[in-house]
Amino acid sequence: MLCLGLGRVGAFVVAAKPAPSRWVSKVAASSTAVEGEAGTESYRLFFKEGKANISPWHDIPLEAGDGLYNAVFEIPKMTKAKMEVATKEESNPIAQDMKKGKLRDYHGPIFWNYGCLPQTWENPNEEHPVLKCFGDDDPIDVVEIGSEAMAQGTVAPVKALGVLAMIDDGELDWKVIAIAASDPMADELNDVADIEEKMPGTISGIREWFRWYKTPDDKPLNGFGFDEECLSAATAKEVIEETHQAWKGLQDGSIDAGKLWLK
């Protein structure tokens, strides 16, 4: 049962640029609601439409129109709690990740907004033909490089600019580099070269942050495929489409979902 009497109910936050009317109307009728206390195992942020829970993974459409994608933000920039959409729980609320019975925190703040793209899935049963590793069993991650901190539970249209092929403990964990459509820099950034010109050091900063972030826990450095290159916006869109097709396989039953919660 949701603890709605605590007054912690908020509307989705949406970027200023309009998306198609079907998405605008859905967001306008939607909200988030918190159950439990932040910093505890009980904390959950649920997405709702009216009084019913909806899944941020399955019910929010991937595409936002005009070549943009909807992003679900789990971790605001400059915060440390490792929050994520709980793919194995009913309605897929946002919860703090657990490792060996303990809540996970980054050892230092992440400098960008972090979340996932709905209706995507990195298939752990399919080997990448070049990298020879398998997907990490999660929605594809998005690193948003804009100036505004996106509150947890924000759903906002973003522009995909590039993608890094991170390899984490032998699993392929794509990182889509994106910018919110509402950001003042959005019109100036369309591809990797634009980031390097207008926001130099951003891509290398993201790469090094994700390379090193697990080492305080005595974990090895993460690696990156394709000679560590940040691949183009066009490639990012291809990867997003591949993960969207894998998600469709979960939905139609052609791919075994295992313990994942589906609609």
Side-chain angles (χ1 to χ4, degrees):
M1 182 67 67
L2 291 176
C3 300
L4 299 181
L6 299 179
R8 292 176 292 168
V9 182
F12 286 162
V13 181
V14 188
K17 284 194 176 182
S21 59
R22 65 185 179 90
W23 176 232
V24 172
S25 63
K26 182 168 186 171
V27 171
S30 302
S31 62
T32 57
V34 170
E35 176 182 330
E37 296 296 328
T40 71
E41 294 182 32
S42 67
Y43 177 87
R44 298 291 184 275
L45 187 144
F46 287 91
F47 292 69
K48 301 181 71 66
E49 187 163 13
K51 295 183 178 180
N53 289 338
I54 64 171
S55 166
W57 184 18
H58 304 304
D59 289 323
I60 295 173
L62 170 61
E63 296 186 5
D66 296 329
L68 304 175
Y69 300 97
N70 288 311
V72 176
F73 288 101
E74 302 155 315
I75 306 174
K77 64 191 300 183
M78 304 308 299
T79 64
K80 294 170 58 177
K82 179 68 172 71
M83 312 300 294
E84 61 183 17
V85 168
T87 58
K88 296 179 176 66
E89 294 186 19
E90 183 175 350
S91 299
N92 309 125
I94 292 176
Q96 191 164 357
D97 190 25
M98 301 278 293
K99 197 77 169 181
K100 296 181 179 179
K102 294 183 179 180
L103 294 169
R104 286 187 66 194
D105 287 278
Y106 296 132
H107 289 273
I110 188 168
F111 304 121
W112 312 275
N113 296 300
Y114 192 58
C116 65
L117 299 183
Q119 297 185 347
T120 65
W121 180 60
E122 297 195 50
N123 187 350
N125 308 301
E126 183 175 349
E127 184 181 58
H128 190 278
V130 175
L131 301 175
K132 302 302 180 183
C133 51
F134 297 81
D136 71 349
D137 200 26
D138 281 322
I140 197 168
D141 296 322
V142 60
V143 183
E144 194 278 325
I145 62 174
S147 57
E148 179 185 354
M150 297 289 188
Q152 185 183 112
T154 297
V155 178
V158 300
K159 181 192 293 187
L161 304 173
V163 66
L164 290 164
M166 191 174 92
I167 300 172
D168 181 353
D169 198 22
E171 295 180 333
L172 180 56
D173 187 5
W174 292 104
K175 306 295 183 189
V176 174
I177 313 300
I179 190 162
S182 61
D183 193 88
M185 289 292 293
D187 289 339
E188 299 185 44
L189 303 179
N190 295 292
D191 215 323
V192 175
D194 299 323
I195 305 174
E196 298 286 22
E197 179 185 353
K198 306 285 187 179
M199 301 175 68
T202 298
I203 292 172
S204 60
I206 293 169
R207 186 190 297 113
E208 294 310 310
W209 195 94
F210 280 102
R211 188 195 308 279
W212 288 90
Y213 83 103
K214 288 187 175 181
T215 58
D217 294 320
D218 296 322
K219 299 288 187 180
L221 295 171
N222 288 325
F224 296 87
F226 301 104
D227 296 322
E228 304 200 344
E229 179 184 356
C230 186
L231 305 176
S232 68
T235 302
K237 292 176 181 180
E238 291 174 3
V239 171
I240 292 167
E241 180 59 25
E242 288 173 3
T243 60
H244 183 50
Q245 293 303 316
W247 173 84
K248 286 183 176 180
L250 290 178
Q251 296 298 310
D252 66 22
S254 61
I255 300 177
D256 181 19
K259 295 181 179 180
L260 299 172
W261 186 85
L262 306 179
K263 292 289 289 185

